[in-house]
Amino acid sequence: MFDFFMAPSSQELEPPPIPGRFRNEIALGQVTTDFTADDASQTPHRRALSPAYLSPKKIALLIMQSKNKDARTLRDTIESHNNNYTLVRLILAASVIYFHSFALSPGLHDHLSMAFLPVTTVGGLAVQLFFFLSGLFVAQSFNKDPHVPSFILKRFMRIWPGLFVCLLVTSTIIAVINKHPTFLQYLKFDEFYDYTLRNSVFDLTWYIDGLLKNNASQSLNGSIHTLPMEAKMYVLLAFIGALDMARTPTRLAIAGAIAFVAVVVPGIVELLPFTLLNADYSRAAAAMFLAGVCVYGLSVRLRIRLWQGILLITGAVVSTGMAHVFLFYASAAWIMMMIGQSPLIGKVWRPKQDLSYGIYIYGWPSQQIIMALAPIHLTAYVLTLVAIPLSTAFASLSWRFVEKPSIKFGKDFPAHANALTLKKHRRVLIALTTLLIVLVGARWAAHHWASAPVQPMQATIVNFGPQESRAGEPINLQPNGESAIWITTDGGSAPDGTVIVMDGHYLSSQIAGNVVTARVDPSILATSGEKSIFLERRYADRIERSNEVKLKVR
C-alpha cells in the first residue's frame, strides 16, 4: 500500500533528510519562561500565560486562539475572488517546469526533489496537488450546475481547445527550427499530423521522427501524460452526477469518499471491465482528485487553521509507512489551502488570469525549443529561469485567444443553447473547426499521396504465415476471435515504427526481434485473390519498404 501515493519509480532513491522543525510563532510565543514567586503578584493576564498556570486545557485553548483571523469557511474562500488559488496553481506549474529541467538538461542533481524522497519529488508533488485542486474546484462547478451534459461540455471546452492548439503550435515551431528534415518535408509527413490528432484525443504519442534528435530527450511534450487521467476523473465525476450524487455537497462528499476507498484499497478498481489506473502515478492522482471532491463536500464546515497544520505535520514527521505518506500529502494540501486563503499573500500579488494550464502544457515544449536553439549547454537551473517566461508568454496568448473564449462558450451554451449563442462565439468555433478539418485532410493526403522517395528496407521478408486461405475464413485465429499474420525477417530487425501493409491496408503491427505480427481485418480476407504483403517504415524524408510476398485467398 505504500506505493499508492508514490510518484513514478524514478523517484525511488534514498530516504529524505530529517525534516526541519516547525514552530508556533504566535500566542504561545508570549509565554513567560522565567516565572518566580514574585510574579504571582502580577496581573491575572500574566499569571494566566505563565507555565505554572498552563494546564493542558489552556494549552489547547491557546492553540485554538492561534488560528488565522480569517473566519471564512473553505467554501467561502473558494467561491469568492478573494483567494490566492490562482497563484498557487502558477507555483505548481512552475514547479513542474523546474522538475523537468533536470531530465531535459542532465548534469546536475535535483537536491530539492531528493528532500522529498522516497515519497515523491517536486514534480510528483506538484502534479498530485494539481489533482487535489482539480477535484476541489471541479466538484464546486458541478455542484452549482449538476447537469451531466453541461458538465461534460464545460470540461471539454476547458481542456481540449488549449491542448489541441498547443500540440499544433509547438510541433510546428519545433519542425520549423529543425534543420533536417526540413519543415516542408514534414508538411508531407503523415506522422507530423498524427502527433496533434492522436494526442488531442489522449492516444498519446511522444515523438515525431527526426525532431529534437540532438536533445537529451526527443519527446515533444512529456507533460501531457497526466491529461488522460484527468479526463478519467471527469468521467467518474459525471457518473457520480448521473446517479444524482452531485446535487448537494453532502452527496458529493459521500460519493467521493466511497470512490476514494475503492481507489485506495487494492483489487477493487481492478474488477472494472476497463483499465482505470494504467500508470504508476494513477492511483495517487485519483486518490488526490477524490480527496479534493470530499473536501469540497465538507467545505461549508471547514476552516483552515494553524492547529490543523501543527497536528498534520507533526504526524507526518513521527509516522512511518503508509501513515507517513498519507499525512505527508494531507500536510501538503493543508499548506496549499492555507496559502490559498492568506490575506497577507493576497496583498503581495494576486494574479488576475489563470495561466497555470497553459504554462503546464507549454512548459515542456518551451524547454525543448530552448535546448534545441541554445548555442551552449544550459544547466537545469538556467533552463528553468528561461523556460518559465517563455511558457508564460505562450500561456498568455493561449488564454487570450483560445482558452478564455472556449471557456466562455462552455458556460454560455448550456444556459442558452440556441443559434444566437453559436453566433456570439462563432470566431472560436469556426477557428477550431477549421484547424481540425485542415489537419484531418492534410493527414489523409500525406498518407495516401506520399511523395517521399522510396528506398529498400534492410530487413527482408524470408517467411510468413499463413500463405494460403479461403475467402471469408479467419487466419491464425486468436483467442479473441481475430485473425492475425506473422512475418520473419532477415538482415536485421525491422526498424521501430515499421508496419505490415496488406492489400493496401496499413495494419497495427508489433515487432519482437526479427518477427513482425499484426491483426488482420476480416474485410481484407472477404474476397479471393492474391493479397500483396510488405513491410513499410515512413520517415519525413524517405519511405523504406521491404520485398513483397503474396497471400493466396481462394
Side-chain angles (χ1 to χ4, degrees), residues 238-308:
F239 177 73
I240 290 174
L243 297 178
D244 201 30
M245 293 297 288
R247 193 168 297 279
T248 67
T250 301
R251 291 187 182 187
L252 269 174
I254 294 172
I258 294 172
F260 179 88
V261 172
V263 165
V264 172
V265 176
I268 297 181
V269 295
E270 286 74 14
L271 298 175
L272 296 174
F274 55 88
T275 303
L276 179 65
L277 310 175
N278 59 348
D280 49 7
Y281 72 93
S282 297
R283 195 180 298 272
M288 291 296 283
F289 182 94
L290 294 168
V293 173
C294 293
V295 168
Y296 172 75
L298 301 173
S299 60
V300 73
R301 301 178 181 88
L302 289 178
R303 289 178 171 82
I304 308 303
R305 295 292 180 253
L306 183 61
W307 65 268
Q308 300 162 349

Side-chain angles (χ1 to χ4, degrees), residues 7-74:
S9 58
S10 61
Q11 302 168 10
E12 298 174 2
L13 299 178
E14 59 188 54
I18 298 175
R21 296 181 180 178
F22 300 87
R23 298 193 305 163
N24 185 351
E25 298 287 354
I26 47 184
L28 290 179
Q30 303 173 9
V31 176
T32 305
T33 56
D34 297 320
F35 181 76
T36 65
D38 293 336
D39 293 318
S41 61
Q42 302 301 318
T43 62
H45 173 71
R46 178 162 180 187
R47 290 198 304 270
L49 288 176
S50 27
Y53 290 86
L54 284 179
S55 65
K57 185 175 181 180
K58 290 183 178 180
I59 291 175
L61 179 62
L62 287 172
I63 293 177
M64 293 295 292
Q65 290 174 344
S66 69
K67 63 187 179 181
N68 192 299
K69 293 182 179 180
D70 190 346
R72 296 179 299 170
T73 64
L74 179 61

Side-chain angles (χ1 to χ4, degrees), residues 82-371:
N82 187 25
N83 64 63
N84 309 311
Y85 283 103
T86 299
L87 176 60
V88 169
R89 292 189 188 96
L90 292 179
I91 294 172
L92 296 179
S95 300
V96 172
I97 291 177
Y98 162 85
F99 175 70
H100 287 160
S101 291
F102 291 90
L104 300 179
S105 178
L108 296 177
H109 293 292
D110 182 3
H111 296 287
L112 187 56
S113 286
M114 292 178 69
F116 292 126
L117 294 173
V119 178
T120 187
T121 62
V122 170
L125 179 60
V127 166
Q128 305 304 347
L129 291 179
F130 261 132
F131 272 95
F132 178 85
L133 283 180
S134 181
L136 180 67
F137 284 96
V138 172
Q140 174 204 22
S141 174
F142 200 13
N143 177 237
K144 287 183 176 181
D145 181 10
H147 298 91
V148 175
S150 173
F151 172 77
I152 293 174
L153 178 63
K154 288 178 181 177
R155 291 298 94 207
F156 177 82
M157 296 306 293
R158 180 64 186 98
I159 296 297
W160 187 85
L163 173 64
F164 177 72
V165 174
C166 170
L167 294 167
L168 177 59
V169 168
T170 54
S171 61
T172 300
I173 293 174
I174 293 172
V176 168
I177 65 176
N178 195 68
K179 294 181 179 179
H180 183 77
T182 65
F183 177 59
L184 290 179
Q185 289 175 312
Y186 278 108
L187 289 179
K188 297 179 284 186
F189 185 33
D190 56 353
E191 191 175 299
F192 176 73
Y193 303 103
D194 275 341
Y195 171 79
T196 297
L197 295 172
R198 288 178 57 186
N199 282 322
S200 64
V201 294
F202 304 137
D203 179 17
L204 298 186
T205 178
W206 311 111
Y207 313 102
I208 299 177
D209 185 74
L211 293 184
L212 301 174
K213 52 183 176 289
N214 294 324
N215 284 31
S217 169
Q218 285 72 54
S219 171
L220 272 67
N221 197 333
S223 299
I224 61 175
H225 76 283
T226 62
L227 296 183
M229 193 64 211
E230 181 82 5
K232 289 179 181 179
M233 292 298 98
Y234 295 163
V235 173
L236 176 59
L237 204 54
F239 177 73
I240 290 174
L243 297 178
D244 201 30
M245 293 297 288
R247 193 168 297 279
T248 67
T250 301
R251 291 187 182 187
L252 269 174
I254 294 172
I258 294 172
F260 179 88
V261 172
V263 165
V264 172
V265 176
I268 297 181
V269 295
E270 286 74 14
L271 298 175
L272 296 174
F274 55 88
T275 303
L276 179 65
L277 310 175
N278 59 348
D280 49 7
Y281 72 93
S282 297
R283 195 180 298 272
M288 291 296 283
F289 182 94
L290 294 168
V293 173
C294 293
V295 168
Y296 172 75
L298 301 173
S299 60
V300 73
R301 301 178 181 88
L302 289 178
R303 289 178 171 82
I304 308 303
R305 295 292 180 253
L306 183 61
W307 65 268
Q308 300 162 349
I310 294 174
L311 294 178
L312 288 172
I313 294 171
T314 302
V317 171
V318 302
S319 60
T320 59
M322 187 60 186
H324 171 70
V325 176
F326 178 85
L327 290 171
F328 172 86
Y329 279 108
S331 299
W334 174 86
I335 292 172
M336 182 174 61
M337 290 187 287
M338 196 68 163
I339 295 173
Q341 74 172 21
S342 170
L344 178 61
I345 294 176
K347 292 178 181 178
V348 176
W349 184 42
R350 184 166 284 166
K352 295 181 180 181
Q353 298 176 334
D354 185 6
L355 304 182
S356 58
Y357 178 59
I359 293 174
Y360 179 80
I361 59 177
Y362 279 96
W364 182 293
S366 296
Q367 292 170 290
Q368 291 286 55
I369 292 169
I370 292 168
M371 294 301 293

